[in-house]
Amino acid sequence: LLPPTAFAHLRRQAAALDALRPRLNACCRHHTPLPCARRAWTDVLDGFCTDEFGVKTRQFHCCHRHGAA
């Protein structure tokens, strides 16, 4: 549990991981689990970075990369 104030960057990170878990579980039942997991990861990471750029703090370093990077 995080304190009610501050630590918003950790809350965004935790929310991204929470969003990833059910998508990865669904990929385990998919006929092509690895591409499914990669798509789930990139979708969740894209959403996380969108959230990161929506605040006035320094963004997580991976959000400044593009494409396959």
Side-chain angles (χ1 to χ4, degrees):
L1 295 173
L2 296 170
T5 57
F7 300 99
H9 65 290
L10 293 178
R11 284 188 223 295
R12 288 189 297 277
Q13 291 175 18
L17 291 175
D18 286 343
L20 180 61
R21 184 175 297 128
R23 294 198 55 188
L24 285 180
N25 287 340
C27 288
C28 290
R29 296 182 298 277
H30 201 270
H31 66 282
T32 54
L34 189 56
C36 177
R38 173 176 270 166
R39 191 170 42 257
W41 171 248
T42 56
D43 289 350
V44 167
L45 189 58
D46 285 346
F48 168 76
C49 290
T50 298
D51 291 345
E52 282 285 281
F53 284 114
V55 295
K56 293 182 180 181
T57 59
R58 197 164 117 193
Q59 289 78 31
F60 199 70
H61 64 89
C62 69
C63 292
H64 293 284
R65 297 179 182 192
H66 299 283

